[in-house]
Amino acid sequence: MLRVASVLSFFAGLVAVTIWIATALVEHAVERDASRRSLEWAEFAVWHVPRIDDLAQGLPSDPAELAAFEDLAHFGGVFRFKIFSPDGVLRFVSDDPGSVGSSLGTHNEHAVAVLTSGEAMTFVKDGREKPDRPDLYSETYLPVYDGDRLVAIAETYMDQTTKVAAVRTEYAIVGAALAGMILLALLIPSGSLWVMFRRLRRTNAELEEAQVRAQASDKSKSEFISTVSHELRTPLTSIKGALAMLESGKFAELDGSAKRLLEMALKNAEVLHLLVDDLLDFGKLATGGLEIRPCATDIAGLVQDEVDRIDSYDADRQVECRYTGERGPLFAHADPARIAQVVRNLLSNALKFSPVGGKVFVSVRERCGAIRVEVKDFGCGIPPCDQERIFEKFTQIDSSNTRQHSGAGLGLAISKEIVEAHDGRIGVTSAPGRGSAFYIDLPFCEGAAEAGAVELRNVA
Ligand code: ADP
């Protein structure tokens, strides 16, 4: 409704401006025409009334000349005229030649203005209120020259009723054509804009619908993953426990190949367990259920514990994992269990992607007001184009080396979420073939050491 009102008022404004311009143009055309015809009239007057200068000086006119004055009063569309002296004093009025009208002898300001400018001056007037005037007429003040000599100032009255009507019709036609063109010029683009707008609105609605559908399907997928992971976890824990007990040899003495088989089964159960844990965390992330409980945590101690523990992770590959950082304590405001999880993921990746017999260096240092944990390996490295991508869900670099290792491509995505939930940062610098250095920066916990904060180590 509001839009219709503003469109209507816009068009009303457009029409008003057009009418105003047209009126001004009509007046201008009539003024020019009246001035031109009055100048012709003046030439005729000088030729037809040789004593016009006497008349302008106020000398009494000869009654024999009255016929000539009569001719002048009907020449070139003039129906009335006045003669002023060259200095602007009224001397003669054509429709009252004999009598001395009350205004005779008075100065006329327009006549004086013509005297100063030397140019004709025209006014268009409405005569409908006056009994002896046409509906529209013009009054033109102009200088009358005899050769180079200014002999008088004249004022001519011309009927402009038909002229104005004709000019108005002309301008109305031109105006209507112009308005039509403007309207078309406005309507065509606004029409296409309107169509585009409608299309955009429809596409938007479709997109929103698709988004809602995608969100719903995403949610049910996450819920499904959570449920399956939960269901897998319990039997997997008991399988792992049973295998571990068998492997310990408490129940039966195992020969070499059976023991190897058991070790392999146990290792795969461990990998499966880690995968299920990742899937569970992923489900929690998707539903916003991953809880962070931060407290003053000695990150240096926590990382050293993880390094000690990881030694037993993959004994076959004989990768040496060495802590090279500050001994600590170095406190950050962090959830120890979650940060331990992140460190474990970085360590297991470093071991996984290191060559047999390789080295992994781990450090914790204070750096620019943050605690930086760094895990550095000398393995296959990561191409620059993949260094951001690996922090996205389910991303694994599609190289033959990567494919040799287990994993679902979730560990780094989960780590990123955890670190960012601590207002921290996770990143990597790496060169293919030369290794990678993963780091996490956690905000330093001011005054935690002085306050005697309890050192919380690896609650995982
Ligand atoms: P995954 O469980 O598959 O290892 P991550 O999210 O932990 O999942 O890692 C994603 C991918 O990033 C890995 O599959 C691997 O391609 C790459 N990546 C991670 N750490 C390293 C590393 N230290 N060296 C080389 N590539 C790595």
Side-chain angles (χ1 to χ4, degrees):
M1 197 64 197
L2 199 71
R3 247 182 271 153
V4 174
S6 38
V7 169
L8 282 181
S9 56
F10 169 75
F11 280 112
L14 195 69
V15 169
V17 170
T18 313
I19 289 175
W20 179 77
I21 293 174
T23 311
L25 285 175
V26 168
E27 266 189 29
H28 184 64
V30 170
E31 281 168 17
R32 272 214 342 245
D33 180 66
S35 300
R36 184 181 55 77
R37 278 159 61 198
S38 296
L39 287 171
E40 284 170 13
W41 176 90
E43 275 179 31
F44 175 73
V46 172
W47 172 76
H48 199 63
V49 187
R51 284 194 56 246
I52 200 164
D53 49 348
D54 288 348
L55 192 66
Q57 295 304 324
L59 298 174
S61 52
D62 183 347
E65 287 181 326
L66 281 180
F69 295 150
E70 194 65 23
D71 291 345
L72 275 186
H74 295 103
F75 178 80
V78 170
F79 66 85
R80 185 178 192 238
F81 68 91
K82 291 179 182 174
I83 299 291
F84 299 87
S85 66
D87 56 355
V89 177
L90 181 61
R91 298 292 186 202
F92 180 81
V93 182
S94 66
D95 53 4
D96 190 14
S99 71
V100 178
S102 58
S103 56
L104 281 187
T106 56
H107 255 98
N108 181 291
E109 54 172 321
H110 297 310
V112 174
V114 167
L115 187 68
T116 320
S117 71
E119 301 276 328
M121 185 190 273
T122 299
F123 303 96
V124 178
K125 298 212 165 164
D126 186 345
R128 279 172 298 182
E129 302 285 305
K130 298 176 185 168
D132 54 347
R133 297 279 191 275
D135 284 357
L136 273 170
Y137 66 100
S138 61
E139 290 178 12
T140 304
Y141 293 83
L142 71 157
V144 180
Y145 288 98
D146 185 2
D148 286 341
R149 192 166 58 91
L150 178 70
V151 291
I153 309 285
E155 183 188 358
T156 58
Y157 289 69
M158 287 183 201
D159 184 352
Q160 298 290 1
T161 315
T162 31
K163 175 81 188 168
V164 167
V167 175
R168 265 188 194 154
T169 314
E170 271 171 33
Y171 277 110
I173 293 167
V174 174
L178 258 177
M181 272 155 62
I182 292 173
L183 212 65
L184 268 183
L186 284 173
L187 277 181
I188 290 170
S190 23
S192 354
L193 270 179
W194 175 247
V195 172
M196 263 166 66
F197 175 71
R198 291 283 300 268
R199 237 181 251 164
L200 267 179
R201 236 183 17 192
R202 203 173 329 126
T203 316
N204 219 15
E206 282 167 9
L207 277 177
E208 267 171 27
E209 226 172 85
Q211 196 187 11
V212 169
R213 274 204 304 270
Q215 275 168 350
S217 118
D218 222 34
K219 197 166 168 238
S220 46
K221 244 188 281 171
S222 305
E223 282 167 3
F224 174 73
I225 288 175
S226 289
T227 317
V228 172
S229 318
H230 258 295
E231 295 304 317
L232 282 176
R233 205 179 197 204
T234 321
L236 199 57
T237 312
S238 77
I239 291 171
K240 245 177 69 183
L243 288 174
M245 281 210 280
L246 275 179
E247 196 220 10
S248 69
K250 280 184 197 158
F251 295 98
E253 206 46 52
L254 298 169
D255 65 8
S257 53
K259 201 166 171 39
R260 262 199 309 282
L261 270 176
L262 259 182
E263 278 169 5
M264 203 192 298
L266 198 57
K267 200 189 255 178
N268 282 325
E270 182 61 43
V271 170
L272 215 54
H273 198 248
L274 288 174
L275 189 64
V276 168
D277 277 353
D278 274 358
L279 285 172
L280 266 175
D281 280 344
F282 168 72
K284 285 184 196 158
L285 272 179
T287 53
L290 194 73
E291 255 183 78
I292 303 288
R293 294 204 188 94
C295 60
T297 302
D298 172 20
I299 302 294
L302 180 149
V303 171
Q304 286 167 66
D305 282 355
E306 286 304 323
V307 171
D308 293 345
R309 187 172 299 178
I310 204 84
D311 261 352
S312 59
Y313 172 73
D314 200 350
D316 292 353
R317 294 172 58 80
Q318 295 160 348
V319 177
E320 187 195 345
C321 189
R322 196 189 301 162
Y323 182 78
T324 58
E326 290 175 30
R327 289 288 145 197
L330 286 174
F331 284 100
H333 195 61
D335 182 330
R338 290 296 173 198
I339 295 302
Q341 180 183 350
V342 174
V343 173
R344 260 199 312 275
N345 181 49
L346 296 185
L347 286 176
S348 74
N349 276 348
L351 295 181
K352 208 159 64 171
F353 292 101
S354 286
V356 177
K359 281 189 170 53
V360 171
F361 295 136
V362 186
S363 65
V364 179
R365 291 199 168 81
E366 197 194 326
R367 189 173 176 274
C368 310
I371 306 283
R372 171 163 285 201
V373 180
E374 192 180 66
V375 178
K376 189 173 182 161
D377 67 61
F378 301 90
C380 58
I382 303 160
C385 58
D386 291 322
Q387 289 176 10
E388 276 202 24
R389 221 162 55 84
I390 54 171
F391 293 97
E392 290 165 15
K393 280 175 272 181
F394 300 114
T395 305
Q396 291 182 310
I397 303 167
D398 196 12
S399 72
S400 51
N401 192 7
T402 305
R403 287 282 167 246
Q404 290 163 12
H405 303 288
S406 60
L410 276 175
L412 288 178
I414 294 169
S415 299
K416 186 168 189 269
E417 293 284 340
I418 293 175
V419 172
E420 286 178 357
H422 284 80
D423 291 329
R425 239 162 29 115
I426 186 166
V428 65
T429 53
S430 182
R434 293 172 59 189
S436 315
F438 280 83
Y439 63 87
I440 58 174
D441 286 335
L442 294 168
F444 183 63
C445 187
E446 300 271 357
E450 294 79 9
V454 184
E455 191 180 333
L456 295 163
R457 288 196 173 183
N458 203 3
V459 194

